Amino acid sequence: MISMFRSFAKSKWAIGLLVLVVLGLMVTGGTQMDVLGSLQPAKVVSAGDRSLSPQEFRAEMDRRLQRVQNQERRAVTYEELLAEVPLASILKGQADELGFFGWAWKTGIRPGNELILRVIRAEPAFFDPVTQQFSEQAYESTLAQNKMTTAQNERDLRDRYTGLHYGSAATAGLRLPRVYGAVYANQTQQSRDARWFVLTQAMAGTAPRPTDAQLNSFMSQHASDLRTPELRSGTLVVFANPADQNIAISEEKIRARYEFRKDTLSTPERRSFTTLTAPTRAAADRIAAALRAGQTPAAVGEANDLQPANYTETPRSAIGDPAVAAAVFGLGAGEVSAPVQARVGFVVAKVTDILPGREVTLEDARDEIVAELRGQEQRGAIARRVEAFEAPAATARAATRPSARSGPWRFRFPP
């Protein structure tokens, strides 16, 4: 038997078996021998196809810490945060979320790109403060301040709406047992009987008038409760002046503020339209032909297994795709566009209504601008009065501070 094993160990079959064992250990041999696993990016949490890198986990922990600090209104350390919520619970929660969203994506619960773009373009923080229009630069800078990228933000929005849609569908079919209704009806419809009687002072009796000795004894026992309360005096200073209501505003300031806010005061042109997104140009051509033939967008969408997207009184700045926006605002009422190469597929749009824009003139906005400028002047006047009131007190406090000289400390006191 031993000689047979020795012969097998010297054969080429033994060498091949040893190579297979080494390869198996390299692939599935744990953290120390997993060579292929070490070539992949590091992951803090992994669930199916979804994972969380160390950078993403650190950014998530920073955002969690910032939310706690805003709630507590004080500085909070990571030790205090993890004392309230253990790290194992946070990791388990992240794994459960990643696993759920990975399962939802595979089962087909996927929010559309148009929904994500519409949500992003409705966020006020992503708008330019001057033009009041969506700004890619403001979008990226705001996300950078929160330690997020555009891809991470869009993924989080998809996950959020995936959870909302799944929760809505799950709760739509819930029904309370009938016993709950019976208990509630019993509690609201029950009645009770009660009896009462009146107790007068004559029935309870009267107490004799206390003597001086009893009063003095009571006062000595409750001397701390009967002492005179502490009194304080205060000074109320009113910095507002009724004359500030009639501060004169120059014409130059009014015109400068109007030029600055002209775009935000004016009403842009808005359009109501419907879009259908097809995967190929051929399908988009058929959709455009059917719409021009008089078919409704709902019927065309049902025939092509597509869901129409309806937009009501939408300005050009609120349309996520520039190519689609140019096509929509180049049509007349009732017209159908040619297939447009969008970010996702080919889009065919039909305009149903047009609301023309209106540019606000200086005379139209004069009262609002004057009120705004007058309010700024009033706040400035109050601030100057406050500074003038606090200046003597600040000078007196500065006089009592120690002077910075060499040698022993010296103090200056007011005369």
Side-chain angles (χ1 to χ4, degrees), residues 248-260:
I249 306 299
S250 64
E251 187 66 23
E252 290 77 11
K253 290 184 178 181
I254 297 175
R255 185 168 296 279
R257 181 59 59 90
Y258 167 73
E259 294 296 335
F260 179 75

Side-chain angles (χ1 to χ4, degrees), residues 106-124:
K106 289 182 179 180
T107 55
I109 306 177
R110 304 176 182 180
N113 293 329
E114 292 186 358
L115 172 62
I116 302 304
L117 289 175
R118 191 158 59 246
V119 172
I120 292 174
R121 292 186 174 273
E123 179 62 38

